[in-house]
Amino acid sequence: MTENNAGNTEPGSARQGGAGIRYSRDDEDIVTLTIDQDGPVNVMGAGFRADFGAAVQRLEAERDSIRGVIVTSAKKTFFAGADLRELVQITKADAAAFAREVELVKSLQRRLERLGRPVVAAVNGSALGGGLEIALACHHRVVLDRDDVRLGFPEVTLGLIPGAGGVVRTVRLMGVQAALPLIAEGKQLRPAAALKAGWADELASDLDDLLAKARAWVRANPDAKQPWDAKPGAVGVKDLKPMDPNSYSLLAAASGALRKETHGTMPAPEKALAVIVEGALLDFDTALEVEGRYFTELATGQIAKNLIGTFFFQLNEIKTGGSRPSGHEKQRTAKVAVLGAGMMGAGIAQVTAVAGIEVVLKDVSAEAADKGKATVAKQLDAQVARGRLTEEQRDAVLSRITTTTDYADLDGCDLVIEAVFEKRSVKNEVNAAAEAAARPDAVIASNTSTLPITGLAEAVPDQGRFIGLHFFSPVPKMKLVEIIRGAKTSDATLARAYDYVLQIGKTPIVVNDSRGFYTSRTFGTYISEGVRLLAEGVHPALIENVAKKAGLPVGPLAVHDEVSLSLSLKVRDQTLADLAEAAQSAEATARIKELENDPAFRIIEELVRDLDRPGKAGGAGFYDYPADGPKRLWPGLAERYGRPDGGGVSEQDLRDRLLFIQSLETIRCLEENVLTSIRDANLGSIFGIGFPVWTGGTAQFVNAYGVEEFTARADYLADLYGERFRPPRLLREKAARHEAF
Ligand code: NAD
C-alpha cells in the first residue's frame, strides 16, 4: 500500500498542493481519498480546491490501473461546508473571479463522477453544504448511522444556496417536490431519513462496516455511472415535465407560500426555487451553470453577509462564551427553583427539566403549582403526538418537576428563578424567602420584564448573587434569554447564569441594568412609532403592511394589541412617576413633557379609557377579534385618526421610521453601556423582538446601510418627524471616523 498526499507522487515529500487530502492505494487498487484539512473541520476554501484538483488529476493519471475510489474524512465530521471566513470577504467586484472558482469546483466534481471508475462516498460524520455536494458527486453514498450525523444544506439560513451542484443533483436524484423543502428550508436529515429521501444509499453501523460496504460496492459496480450521465442530454427530472401545466401548479403554490412568509425580503429561498425550476428544464451541465450564477449573485450580495456575520460568527461567539466573564470555571446547574407557576414559570420549568435539570416549581397554592405542571404536560403531550418526543422521554421530563407551596423544598437548589406577578413588593418577599431556603451560594434571578435589577437585589443579603434572567414568551419557543447585570452582580454569578442559559439550549445576551433593559426598551420604540404614524393620519393598514414588507414578523399595531395597550399606559405612568421622583434635571423635565404630550399616548388613552379597547386579551384593541373569523383592523381607527392625505408620509419614510427607530435606540443602549457588544445587539434584536432577519440585526442594519449614510438619513427623519431620530453622539463619532459598529 502507498500512502501520501494527493499530487505528491513521492511518498514522504514535502507538504504542498494536495496536503489536505491523503491519497492511498491499497493492494486491491482501490484508492481512498481521506480529506483532512488543517483545522478542526474540513471546509471548502482555496486550500481544499487546490487539494481536490490535485487529487482528481492524479486519479485521472492512474485511472487505467485503479479499480475505484472511496472518498472519506479524517475528522469526526465528514465535511462542514463552505469556508465562511473566505466567503464573507467576497465583494461584488470579485464576482467574476468568484464565479470562476465555483465553476472550477463543479468541473472537478464532473471529472470525478466521469472518471470511468466507481466512486463511493464513505460518509463518516455529518456532511453539510459543500460536504454533501462532494458526496452527491460520488456514485454511491454509504452513511455512518450515528446519532449526531446530519446531512443537509443549511445554506439558505445563511442567505446562500448550495452552489457546487447540490441543488441540481438533489433535484435529479429525488425530484422537485422532495427536493424543495430540503433546499429551500435548509432541512438537516438524520441518516435514516437521508436514506429514505435518497441522499444516502446505504447505512453503516460503524467505521469498519462503512469502509467494508464502500469497498464492496466498488468491487460490485465497475461500470458505475451517475443517473444524469446514463442518457446524455436527457433532462431526467421525474416530476417536472417541460410544458406540462400540472408540473407548474405545484411550483406556483410553493412560490406563493414563500412570498407570504418572507415578503420578498429573503432572496436565498427564492433563488433556490429558481434554480430548481430553471435547472429542471435544462441539460445537466447547463443547469449547473445556472446554479453557479445564482450562487454568485447571493454570495456577493449584502444579505448573505448580514446573515453569515450574525448567525454564524456572532452566534458562535456567544455560544463559546463571548459575553461571559473569564476566569470562572464552567458550572452545571443541577437543581432549579422556579417561583410562580404562571405562564412564564411553567415555561421556564419546562425548558429546564427538558435539559435534564431537577425543578422545584413553587406557587401560593397547590392548585396553582399543579396547574403550572399540567401546562408543561400538555405541551409535552403535543410533542409526543407529533412524534418529536417518546412517551418515556415525556415521563422522564415530568418526573424532574416537583410542585410545592413550601420554601423548605428549595433545599439544595443552586439557582432560583422568580417569575411571580410584576410587583416589586411580591417579588421582594419571595426572593428573600427563597434565598434563605436554597443553597447558601445559590444564584437568585428575577424574570422581571420592567423592574430594575439593582433595586430588586436589595431584597437579599448578598446582592452579588442576584441577577436578571429575562425569558421571552412563549418560553419553549423563544431562543433568547436576556441576562441583566445589576450594579452589584458579581462576575461569578454572571458566569453561572450564562452557563445555565447555554445548558438549557438558549442564546444568552448580557446587558447592564436600565429601564426596559435592551430588548423591551427597543421593542417599545417600535410599537410607539406605529401609534405615532397613526396619530399623524397614516392609514393603519399601510402601517401594518409596510412593516411586514420590511420583514418585521408582526405589524406594530397587531403586536401592540398582544402586549396590551393598558400595559403600555401602565409602563408610561410608572415611568412618569419615577421621573417625577428622581432628581429634577432638565433632561427629566423634558422627558416628562415629551411623554405627557406624546400624541401616541393620547390615542392609547382614548382607546383604553373611552372606547374600552385595551388590547387582544380584552377582546378589542387596534384590531377586532371576531369569534368566528380572523382578526381585522378596527374600521374606527381609520375613521377617527386617518387623514385624506394619508399623513403625507411616503412609504419609504414609513419603512425607515420603523427600522431606524429601533437601530437608534440600540445605539443609545451602546452609548449608555446598557449593551456592551454588537453581537448582543444583533442577536437580541432578532431573537428577542423580531427585528427583520435579513438585516442581521439592529447594529448590522446600520453597518450595511453605511454609518455615514445612516447618520444623514436619521438627520433627515429628525428634521421631518421629530428629535427622537436625531443621531446620538456615538453615531456621529462613528460617522466622523468612517467606522462601522
Ligand atoms: P402570571 O400571572 O401568569 O404568573 C404569575 C404566577 O405567580 C401565578 O401563578 C401566581 O399564583 C404566582 N405567584 C404570585 N405570588 C406568588 C408567591 N408569593 N409565591 C409564589 N408564586 C406566586 O405571570 P407571567 O406572565 O408568568 O409573568 C411572571 C413574571 O414574568 C412577571 O414578572 C413578568 O413581568 C415577567 N415576564 C413576563 C413575560 C410575558 O410575556 N408574560 C415576558 C417576560 C417576563
Side-chain angles (χ1 to χ4, degrees), residues 570-603:
K570 245 195 234 158
V571 172
R572 196 265 320 243
D573 292 344
Q574 184 64 51
T575 310
L576 279 175
D578 291 354
L579 283 169
E581 201 179 291
Q584 294 301 314
S585 67
E587 215 185 335
T589 315
R591 180 83 185 114
I592 290 174
K593 225 169 151 181
E594 191 190 336
L595 271 176
E596 281 174 348
N597 295 326
D598 189 334
F601 277 106
R602 277 215 290 282
I603 290 193

Side-chain angles (χ1 to χ4, degrees), residues 379-399:
Q379 289 266 336
L380 299 178
D381 283 344
Q383 289 183 32
V384 172
R386 268 181 267 133
R388 298 227 179 115
L389 207 68
T390 65
E391 290 183 11
E392 295 73 44
Q393 286 168 324
R394 174 199 58 199
D395 295 346
V397 172
L398 287 175
S399 74

